[in-house]
């Protein structure tokens, strides 16, 4: 057991952790602002990955180059989903909201399978491929990029939500939509913004992921299941919580995969989740 | 009442006479009556396409038996029908089991009882072969399988079940014969073996089979067994374990998605064992080759059959072309094996010279087919007392310059194998 190996495992764990965190932040933002769980979140990721791949396959555009465009496109897609679907079911029951996003999930998966087939597609030789060797530690560039890119995106998001006027309005709408409306904040606009930003986060994650992961219609489930755990673990609606929980999950799955058994690598993750939920039902950073 | 009583025997006589007449009319010609063979395949549902492709292999075999194909140097090709049965043709009755073991069993019973088939062939899914062959066993009907691989099928002590394809267990054996052979021919000095496998039944069975062969091939030692769950987001920890264990070669049982992920991660961490040998097609699939480009080279995949075999065996080219002309699609290992099973059954029917089940069974048990009479790269077909063909042999295909090429066994190879793997670019 060498230090190099430990550093390698930590880098991999953080790389995946930031990806989980970025997906989870999008999810928790939407939930925090309007109490709707987006069950189609994984499929948003899938769409983003297809967008990156198709841009690469058609124009040879590197995922790094198309990242801002994919993020912007996903922002618009989030707005569209809000205005065309979510706004209509907001007045309905809780169940109809769940089924609306669940239905969207099934629909998007079927759509992808119809147009792209069930095959696996992957970007080859992107700018961010290869490895950096630092003092005997091999750092895969895509994972380092995921680490850097996701942490930058998280930072930007933090700035936006906690340091700007729009962020204040967003938080106000999430705390009390009615009171916010009374004070002249356009609550519906804030909801739309949350969907937009949440989807854009997934777009960034999708671009970073497509440097090293393949896309297929069900790719979303692989990542988003852990993102749901991150949201619940960190506390519903808490951005800090999603970030910390995402990193924790990333590190824990790499460590348990190496030290315990790769067949059981998610068991400690879910066990941690159960323990936290049992001892602290609102999650690590959740509001009461 | 009395009238009815009076007429009943009359009706009985009438039908007896009718049956006798039918017997008289068709009796002497009965030798040339078609022999009915029931085929159980998934023709609807998720794997309908594969089921249809496989059944087409059987259709092609029957066509070769039934019709004259003067240019094909294969048993039954030159004549029409089965000479041992007075030139009787084979009639195929296909049934759709939809991939369901229950439907498979019901259809087997229907084919035997209502359609009076002389033998059954099937069933693609091992699970369906298990239930339908159980029905055949109970009713005393010969059953042959050309592509259902689960080892347990021939471990049940059945009297009426025969299998031409290698089982999962014997496929694992090919990996060792391959390594023993290149250790000898190339002085490769391979000693330690790691197994990476997904942990559903398929991967686990492969891993267990490999472990079981270390005794017989005692020059090899297991380095590490790495099982993983399908649908994993990254395999860093798995690959780090392999790096720490430093195996000479890695055996892989993975599906498409993880095959891509493992290959990429191997490259990232510059993990380069002397060879990676895979069961199942994932490490040579087009998705794999498209996703990895030149990095897809040098992986070995154990296959049943390859069109490259045509370079040494003209039958492969001829049959492959007939398949392509008829069904608009290239033949692959599964239809090729189903085709072979049907030819073996035809051979047994011919030698039995009868449609009596016991005679067909005895003929199947005495099967002895030479490698030159078939399209598989096997040493022939002969069944042991469990009904398993003992003369099977796998081939290894290696992707070279982006194209999968048959490279082993050397006497049938289409290209020279590359061993050990060159360094990652």
């Amino acid at each position: 057991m060498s230090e190099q190996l430990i550093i390698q495992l930590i880098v991999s764990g953080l790389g995946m952790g930031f990806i989980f965190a970025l997906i989870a932040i999008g999810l928790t933002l939407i939930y925090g602002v309007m109490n709707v769980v987006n069950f189609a979140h994984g499929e948003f990721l899938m769409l983003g990955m297809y967008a990156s791949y198709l841009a690469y396959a058609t124009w040879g555009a590197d995922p790094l180059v198309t990242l801002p465009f994919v993020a912007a496109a996903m922002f618009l897609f989030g707005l569209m989903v809000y205005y065309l679907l979510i706004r209509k079911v907001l007045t309905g029951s809780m169940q109809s909201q769940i089924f609306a996003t669940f239905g969207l999930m099934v629909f998007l998966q079927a759509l992808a399978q119809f147009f792209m087939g069930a095959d696996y597609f992957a970007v080859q030789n992107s700018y961010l491929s290869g490895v950096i060797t630092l003092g005997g530690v091999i750092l895969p560039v895509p994972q380092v990029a995921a680490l850097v890119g996701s942490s930058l995106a998280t930072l930007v998001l933090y700035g936006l939500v906690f340091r700007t006027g729009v962020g204040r309005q967003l938080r106000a709408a999430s705390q009390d939509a009615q009171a916010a409306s009374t004070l002249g904040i356009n609550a519906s606009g804030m909801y739309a913004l949350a969907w937009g930003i949440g989807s854009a986060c997934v777009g960034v994650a999708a671009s970073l992921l497509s440097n090293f992961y393949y896309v297929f219609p069900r790719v979303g489930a692989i990542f988003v299941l852990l993102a749901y755990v991150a949201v619940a673990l960190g506390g519903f609606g808490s951005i800090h919580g999603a970030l910390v929980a995402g990193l924790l999950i990333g590190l824990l799955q790499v460590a348990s995969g190496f030290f315990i058994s790769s067949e059981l690598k998610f068991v400690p993750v879910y066990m941690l989740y159960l323990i936290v939920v049992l001892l602290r039902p609102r999650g690590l950073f959740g509001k009461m | 009442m009395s009238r009815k009583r009076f007429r009943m025997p009359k009706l009985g006589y009438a039908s007896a006479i009718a049956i006798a007449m039918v017997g008289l009319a068709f009796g002497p010609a009965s030798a040339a009556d078609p022999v009915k063979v029931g085929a159980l395949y998934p023709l609807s549902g998720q794997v309908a396409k594969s089921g249809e492709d496989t059944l087409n292999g059987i259709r092609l075999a029957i066509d070769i038996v039934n019709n004259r194909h003067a240019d094909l140097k294969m048993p039954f090709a030159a004549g029409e029908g089965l000479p041992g049965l007075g030139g009787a043709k084979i009639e195929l009755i296909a049934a759709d089991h939809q991939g369901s073991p229950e439907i498979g069993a019901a259809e087997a019973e229907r084919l035997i009882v209502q359609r009076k088939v002389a033998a059954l062939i099937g069933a693609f899914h091992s699970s369906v072969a298990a239930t339908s062959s159980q029905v055949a066993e109970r009713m005393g009907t010969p059953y042959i399988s050309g592509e259902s691989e689960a080892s347990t099928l021939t471990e049940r002590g059945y009297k009426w079940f025969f299998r031409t394809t290698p089982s999962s267990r014997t496929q694992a054996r090919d990996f060792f014969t391959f390594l023993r052979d290149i250790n000898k021919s190339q002085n490769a000095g391979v000693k330690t073996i790691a197994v990476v496998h997904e942990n559903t039944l398929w991967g686990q069975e492969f891993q267990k089979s490999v472990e079981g062969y270390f005794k017989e091939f005692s020059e090899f030692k297991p380095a590490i067994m790495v099982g993983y769950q399908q649908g994993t987001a990254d395999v860093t920890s798995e690959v780090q374990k392999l790096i720490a264990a430093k195996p000479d070669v890695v055996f892989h049982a993975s599906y498409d998605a993880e095959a891509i992920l493992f290959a990429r991660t191997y490259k990232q961490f510059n993990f380069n064992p002397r060879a990676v040998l895979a069961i199942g097609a994932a490490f040579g699939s087009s998705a794999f080759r498209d996703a990895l480009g030149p990095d897809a080279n040098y992986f070995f995949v154990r296959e049943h059959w390859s069109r490259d075999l045509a370079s040494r065996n003209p039958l492969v080219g001829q049959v492959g072309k007939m398949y392509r002309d008829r069904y608009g699609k290239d033949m692959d290992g599964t239809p090729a094996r189903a085709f072979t099973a049907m030819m073996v059954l035809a051979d047994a029917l011919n030698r039995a010279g009868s449609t009596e089940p016991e005679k067909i069974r005895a003929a199947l048990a005495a099967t002895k087919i030479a490698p030159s009479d078939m399209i598989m790269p096997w040493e022939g077909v002969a069944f042991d007392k469990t009904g398993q063909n003992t003369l099977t042999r796998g081939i290894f295909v290696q992707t070279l310059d982006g194209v999968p090429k048959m490279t082993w066994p050397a006497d049938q190879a289409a290209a020279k194998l590359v061993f050990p793997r060159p360094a990652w670019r």
Side-chain angles (χ1 to χ4, degrees), chain A residues 180-266:
Chain A
S181 293
T182 325
L183 295 170
I185 292 170
N186 175 0
S188 179
M190 286 302 121
Y191 288 167
L193 191 64
W195 274 86
I197 296 174
S199 311
C201 284
V202 177
V204 174
S207 287
L208 292 169
L209 259 185
S210 54
N211 279 310
F212 62 99
Y213 213 81
Y214 36 80
V215 55
F216 61 104
R218 287 166 187 272
V219 69
I222 291 175
F223 292 93
V224 90
L225 191 62
L226 288 168
Y228 286 123
V229 175
V231 168
L233 188 62
F236 276 98
S238 161
I239 295 180
H240 311 286
L243 177 65
V244 172
L247 296 182
L248 212 57
I249 290 172
L251 287 170
L252 198 57
Q253 56 108 17
V254 169
S256 51
F258 187 82
F259 295 107
I260 304 172
S261 151
S262 47
E263 279 163 301
L264 303 176
K265 72 179 177 188
F266 293 115

Side-chain angles (χ1 to χ4, degrees), chain B residues 180-419:
Chain B
R180 185 175 269 179
D181 181 57
I182 57 166
N183 267 353
K184 209 186 298 167
S185 64
Q186 317 232 349
N187 210 5
V190 171
K191 284 194 192 69
T192 54
I193 294 166
V195 180
V196 179
H197 65 95
E198 56 87 46
N199 67 352
T200 69
L201 190 62
W202 176 66
Q204 284 186 355
E205 202 185 4
F206 175 71
Q207 184 256 334
K208 279 199 199 99
S209 312
V210 168
E211 274 194 321
Y213 281 114
F214 278 110
K215 213 183 235 172
E216 186 186 339
F217 295 84
S218 55
E219 69 265 44
F220 301 110
K221 294 274 167 290
I224 189 173
M225 305 281 151
V226 180
Y228 66 87
Q229 238 182 331
Q230 260 191 74
T232 182
D234 94 313
V235 292
T236 308
S237 45
E238 287 82 351
V239 174
Q240 290 299 344
K241 278 183 173 175
L242 288 169
I243 292 172
K246 298 194 188 63
D248 291 334
V249 300
V250 175
F251 293 176
H252 245 286
S254 299
Y255 291 109
D256 280 0
E258 282 88 12
I260 299 172
L261 189 58
F262 268 103
R264 289 197 155 184
T265 314
Y266 288 161
K267 186 186 175 187
Q268 276 177 356
F269 290 110
N270 198 25
F271 173 64
N272 199 30
R274 277 190 257 174
V276 177
L277 312 174
I279 190 162
F283 279 87
S285 68
S286 54
F288 183 80
R289 284 179 280 132
D290 288 346
L292 289 158
D295 289 338
N297 286 333
Y298 312 120
F299 286 96
F300 286 100
V301 174
R302 186 215 168 277
E303 286 275 12
H304 291 285
W305 189 81
S306 155
R307 271 177 291 145
D308 285 348
L309 287 163
S311 64
R312 301 296 173 99
N313 180 353
L315 287 180
V316 171
Q318 286 175 301
V319 171
K321 184 174 180 309
M322 287 171 84
Y323 188 92
R324 174 149 201 106
D325 289 349
R326 251 156 247 232
Y327 312 115
K329 191 168 179 179
D330 280 323
M331 198 173 204
D332 66 40
T334 309
R337 284 181 292 155
F339 172 90
T340 305
M342 188 60 230
M343 290 310 263
V344 169
L345 179 60
D347 169 71
L349 289 168
N350 186 53
R351 281 182 293 108
S354 158
T355 51
E356 211 178 291
E358 181 51 43
K359 284 194 176 149
I360 300 172
R361 198 199 67 77
L364 272 170
T367 296
K368 190 96 194 106
I369 289 177
S372 55
D373 284 343
M374 57 185 194
I375 61 167
M376 298 306 294
W378 300 340
E379 287 150 29
V381 179
F383 299 106
D384 63 12
K385 61 178 189 304
T386 68
Q388 174 63 46
N389 177 14
T390 54
L391 300 178
T392 59
R393 184 164 64 161
I395 59 172
F396 278 89
V397 171
Q398 188 176 32
T399 303
L400 296 169
D401 291 325
V403 185
K405 286 273 177 204
M406 186 183 159
T407 54
W408 190 87
D411 60 343
Q412 307 193 32
K416 196 169 160 28
L417 62 85
V418 177
F419 185 97

Side-chain angles (χ1 to χ4, degrees), chain B residues 101-121:
Chain B
E102 294 76 31
I103 298 176
E107 286 290 300
E109 187 147 0
R110 179 180 70 85
L111 289 175
I112 296 169
V113 174
Q114 292 181 15
R115 307 301 301 268
K116 311 232 175 331
V117 296
L120 286 170
I121 186 166

Side-chain angles (χ1 to χ4, degrees), chain B residues 29-74:
Chain B
S30 71
D33 276 353
V35 184
K36 291 183 192 160
V37 170
L40 294 159
Y41 282 95
L43 305 175
S44 61
Q46 278 198 336
V47 293
K49 215 157 167 40
S50 309
E52 194 64 36
D53 291 346
T54 313
L55 188 60
N56 282 340
I58 291 170
R59 289 192 176 113
L60 181 60
I62 291 177
D63 180 83
I64 288 173
V65 172
N66 287 351
N67 302 305
R68 201 178 297 280
H69 297 273
D71 52 335
L72 197 64
K73 297 280 168 281
M74 203 168 194

